[in-house]
Amino acid sequence: MSSEVKDERTAEGSPPPREGGDRAQYGVCVFLALLGTAVIVDALGIPHITSGTDPVGPRAVPLILGALLVLLAVLYAVDVARGGRGEPEAGEDVDLSGGSDWRTVVLLVAVFVANALLIERLGWVISGALLFWGTAFALGNRHYVRNLLIAVTLSLTTFYAFAIGLGVNLPAGVLQGIL
């Protein structure tokens, strides 16, 4: 009898894969399968119309994509069941031991929700400036005045780029008649 203790870790230092796979990865498989099924069901509601310039019709691409999503889900589930798993991020700028920065996530969600709620009332230029400024703030930039100038420039530029370049009118809100 040997008194050696066998380390069951892989060469990268991560624990060995669990028997039968990881439940979170199976969750991804279920999500992909449901998404593929939803795409197929939605595509079946598209009328089958063909023409001389489009002999396939508008149904073909969504049906193919939905089928590929379902196939991908099945293949991924088989891989997970066989012990396959993704490798952890090995980027040099990522601290894998650190937890999630929930403050940043909550601030970003709040900024996006505020933009969605204010875009009709205040208009894109103001809500977009708040979106750009709030995102910079949430991500840690503390140059308030410079960020505000950049945010206003970005929102005005995108407002006019959509209006002039694409012919899409974004909401002007309280600045209606001024812009």
Side-chain angles (χ1 to χ4, degrees):
M1 295 195 86
S2 173
S3 63
E4 292 179 22
V5 177
K6 184 177 180 184
D7 186 10
E8 293 191 11
R9 293 185 175 266
T10 62
E12 294 87 25
S14 59
R18 288 193 277 184
E19 187 69 29
D22 186 7
R23 286 189 303 174
Q25 292 185 41
Y26 284 123
V28 173
C29 297
V30 169
F31 173 75
L32 288 172
L34 289 174
L35 183 64
T37 304
V39 170
I40 290 170
V41 168
D42 194 40
L44 291 174
I46 298 173
H48 185 66
I49 302 170
T50 59
S51 67
T53 59
D54 185 15
V56 179
R59 272 183 166 182
V61 172
L63 286 173
I64 291 170
L65 289 176
L68 287 174
L69 280 169
V70 172
L71 177 66
L72 180 67
V74 170
L75 292 174
Y76 187 38
V78 169
D79 181 55
V80 171
R82 289 181 174 176
R85 63 189 186 132
E87 292 183 27
E89 176 67 39
E92 61 188 48
D93 61 340
V94 177
D95 181 14
L96 298 176
S97 63
S100 298
D101 184 6
W102 289 107
R103 178 184 177 274
T104 301
V105 172
V106 169
L107 285 172
L108 286 172
V109 168
V111 166
F112 279 95
V113 168
N115 183 54
L117 294 175
L118 297 174
I119 193 168
E120 288 295 326
R121 289 185 207 132
L122 298 180
W124 167 252
V125 174
I126 295 173
S127 71
L130 290 173
L131 172 71
F132 296 137
W133 184 88
T135 301
F137 177 82
L139 294 175
N141 193 320
R142 297 298 182 253
H143 299 279
Y144 304 121
V145 176
R146 182 184 70 188
N147 290 344
L148 184 60
L149 292 173
I150 292 170
V152 169
T153 302
L154 280 172
S155 63
L156 278 169
T157 302
T158 54
F159 181 83
Y160 284 115
F162 272 78
I164 297 169
L166 299 174
V168 175
N169 292 324
L170 296 175
V174 296
L175 299 176
Q176 184 72 36
I178 298 172
L179 297 174

